[in-house]
Amino acid sequence: EDGIRDQPRSRGLGDVYKRQLQLIVMGPPGSGKGTQSLALATDIGAMHISTGDLFRHHERSATSLGDQIQGFMKKGDLVPDHITIAMLKDKIESLPDGKGYILDGFPRTLNQAISFDEMLTAGSSKLDLVICIDVPERQLEHRLLRRMICAECSLVYGSHVGGEYDEYCKNCGGELQKRVDDSDKEVIGHRLKKYLDLSLPIIDHYQTHGILHRIDGTGSVTEVTTAIKRVLASTFKGTLSFNY
Ligand code: ADP
Ligand code: AMP
């Protein structure tokens, strides 16, 4: 095989390989993709790449891409594939060779998944694992209505602290805001329905390739992180540069 999975980057003490993972974290809006991806990325030294965060950054900076995508995002529609795939490709190509990453919110269509496969094959690289976080629909609206994000660094917050919203980010001091697409129950419903319609073929696709792992996302943030780490530890036992 020619994939990243089989290429240890360097050897540490003993026979523990130091190497980087290339992961996808999937799940419906509000399932905890951002929260978990960030925790994992910090732990395993991978880059957290959220297409939603990248798009919001373009919106805030009023780039021409930002102008193009604003309408889609506000309504809870997906940004067209050709725009999304081009942006993701640029981002991946900007990483140092072999750098690990966690994709959060991509792919969202089968077409995106297949284009990504082609991109990886062209770069003689491949995915290590796809984690799908499952949370029942009835819990998602509740989470999304309460979500706040930092306008500066995109850190995600889980609503109340003592019944009050925090005003500023504990990470960077930026202002906490509500996302426009989290403010309207109809838009939230539309996003959830889109996920239900479009995710099954993607899940099938990765299941067929034998790299999909489903995780129960209804526990606490720490419980879900532990469950994901357990999957990583059992899948990549003895080949990782970090300990679980
Ligand atoms: P996604 O990236 O999948 O849309 P987020 O990570 O932004 O989801 O989480 C959505 C909201 O739910 C946030 O307000 C977050 O703090 C909260 N949240 C995340 N994980 C959990 C969890 N395990 N239990 C309860 N709330 C959670
Ligand atoms: P997220 O932050 O992942 O909830 O994404 C917010 C919004 O960004 C989505 O509702 C879409 O409008 C857009 N978006 C993010 N990722 C994608 C993607 N892979 N394909 C299309 N649109 C996306």
Side-chain angles (χ1 to χ4, degrees):
E1 284 188 280
D2 60 355
I4 290 281
R5 185 180 292 190
D6 311 303
Q7 298 170 1
R9 303 276 152 214
S10 65
R11 278 170 194 274
L13 289 175
D15 53 12
V16 178
Y17 294 148
K18 264 204 190 282
R19 65 188 201 81
Q20 298 264 305
L21 295 179
Q22 310 192 144
L23 310 175
I24 284 177
V25 176
M26 298 183 54
S31 57
K33 297 183 296 296
T35 306
Q36 296 301 334
S37 300
L38 190 64
L40 283 176
T42 309
D43 258 24
I44 68 178
M47 182 74 88
H48 172 209
I49 301 176
S50 153
T51 42
D53 284 348
L54 291 173
F55 283 139
R56 278 184 291 278
H57 186 76
H58 276 283
E59 277 188 323
R60 272 202 308 280
S61 316
T63 63
S64 65
L65 179 64
D67 291 343
Q68 266 177 279
I69 61 174
Q70 212 163 25
F72 297 105
M73 294 189 63
K74 197 173 161 198
K75 286 188 283 186
D77 282 329
L78 292 185
V79 173
D81 278 351
H82 68 280
I83 298 179
T84 306
I85 292 164
M87 180 184 70
L88 198 264
K89 189 164 189 279
D90 276 356
K91 183 73 192 175
I92 298 277
E93 284 173 359
S94 76
L95 299 179
D97 243 7
K99 173 75 184 168
Y101 52 77
I102 303 177
L103 297 188
D104 156 14
F106 182 97
R108 267 176 154 98
T109 64
L110 184 60
N111 182 38
Q112 289 180 12
I114 290 169
S115 299
F116 188 58
D117 287 349
E118 288 166 1
M119 197 189 306
L120 290 174
T121 306
S124 302
S125 175
K126 72 179 185 191
L127 275 171
D128 289 299
L129 200 68
V130 179
I131 300 281
C132 182
I133 308 179
D134 294 313
V135 175
E137 208 179 328
R138 61 180 183 281
Q139 293 185 23
L140 296 170
E141 184 191 73
H142 183 80
R143 287 192 191 182
L144 292 174
L145 286 169
R146 281 158 188 76
R147 171 164 63 187
M148 300 289 275
I149 62 164
C150 174
E152 299 299 323
C153 74
S154 307
L155 191 63
V156 177
Y157 287 81
S159 74
H160 298 79
V161 176
E164 301 270 319
Y165 283 122
D166 277 343
E167 240 181 292
Y168 297 103
C169 178
K170 61 178 189 235
N171 181 39
C172 74
E175 195 183 336
L176 299 195
Q177 292 180 345
K178 208 155 176 48
R179 281 170 46 172
V180 272
D181 56 347
D182 281 347
S183 307
D184 179 328
K185 285 190 181 178
E186 260 180 48
V187 172
I188 289 177
H190 179 62
R191 287 157 60 207
L192 295 177
K193 182 172 181 319
K194 271 258 134 105
Y195 179 82
L196 289 179
D197 289 348
L198 295 173
S199 62
L200 279 185
I202 306 174
I203 288 171
D204 272 357
H205 176 76
Y206 290 129
Q207 214 148 30
T208 307
H209 286 76
I211 55 172
L212 185 88
H213 280 262
R214 303 193 83 143
I215 297 278
D216 174 7
T218 59
S220 69
V221 169
T222 321
E223 282 166 349
V224 178
T225 310
T226 304
I228 297 176
K229 284 179 169 181
R230 235 180 251 136
V231 170
L232 294 186
S234 66
T235 311
F236 303 108
K237 210 173 171 76
T239 68
L240 299 174
S241 58
F242 49 93
N243 295 318
Y244 287 127

